[in-house]
Each structure stands twice: as C-alpha cells, then as structure tokens.
Amino acid sequence: MDGSTVQVFMNGTAVYDALTLTKAPNSVCTVSFLATNGNTELRANLDVSLRSCVTGEVQTTITVGSTSFYSCTQCPYGTYSLDPSDKACKPCMENAQCPGGDTIDVKSGYWRQSSESATVRECYVKSACLGGSVPEGMRPLQRIAIHCNFMLGQ
C-alpha cells in the first residue's frame, strides 16, 4: 500500500474494506494512521507481519508499472512443491498424479517413503503397492503398510 487514503469516521469508526498490502511474504509492513480534528493530531502505527509461503505454495511476483504485487500461490493441478522456498512449482512425475499443492498421489505399483519425499519408487511386486498419498504423521512402518497390501496380510 502506497500513498494515503482519506477515510471519514462515523461514530468513532472508520472502515477500510479494500486495503491491500504489497510486500513480500515473510516481511513486516508498517501501516501508519493519522487522524486530525482541528488542531489535534492522533498518530498510530500498526506493524503487520505477513506469513511465509507454506509447503505446496510458491512465491509469485506480478509487476504492474512500477508496483510489484507478491503472493503465495498454491501449485495448480499437475504440479507440486514440497519446499516453501521453491520459486516455481515442479511438474508431476511420470508415475504419480498431482492434484496441486504439496500432494503427490503415486499410481498403483509405485510408492513414496514419506509425504516429504518426491522420489517415486517402483514396487518389486507391483500388485503389492496400492498407490495413493501418504497420510501426515504416520510412522515409517505404517507408511509402508498403506502402500503395500502384503504388509497388511492381504
């Protein structure tokens, strides 16, 4: 947000319904307020901390004239990102489907070690690996059981 905006107070309240901050993710922006009433001035500063991009998002920048607009954009269908510092979404690998964000669903006959891994491995016994996603928070043996039905005794 650059420049200034004049807002009329009604019953002690001013409403800003179209306020946009244009700073990079993981930065702090100071919004300054100045209210005047005759010869009296009231000043206030508000520091706004903008969040970092999260897993499944990449930082994008759009420049219009001399103004740059920043945002964290979720990776679209067919791509993924497992690292919030990625500058671009990565294309989905051959033996998986990526619905977007940080989700990688491996195809039947393949598996991944964890939800943080982008390595898709072929199963030695193709019919033993069910495919799909690795649920968050699972221990390694549980992860393998999800992908390999022979571990479940089936």
Side-chain angles (χ1 to χ4, degrees), residues 70-148:
Y70 306 93
S71 68
C72 294
T73 305
Q74 182 173 336
C75 292
Y77 182 86
T79 65
Y80 72 95
S81 172
L82 300 178
D83 183 352
S85 67
D86 284 345
K87 298 301 179 200
C89 298
K90 296 178 179 158
C92 198
M93 51 289 287
E94 183 178 328
N95 298 307
Q97 294 178 338
C98 300
D102 64 350
T103 303
I104 301 171
D105 294 328
V106 295
K107 293 181 179 177
S108 180
Y110 296 86
W111 65 282
R112 293 170 52 212
Q113 182 175 352
S114 74
S115 59
E116 293 86 28
S117 171
T119 304
V120 175
R121 301 176 191 272
E122 186 174 4
C123 293
Y124 292 114
V125 180
K126 286 208 177 253
S127 62
C129 294
L130 306 175
S133 292
V134 178
E136 291 293 326
M138 298 193 88
R139 294 188 307 272
L141 186 56
Q142 289 175 315
R143 290 182 190 134
I144 293 169
I146 289 293
H147 290 294
C148 303

Side-chain angles (χ1 to χ4, degrees), residues 2 16-17 25 42 54 113 137:
D2 253 345
Y16 295 88
D17 58 0
L42 176 62
V54 297
Q113 182 175 352

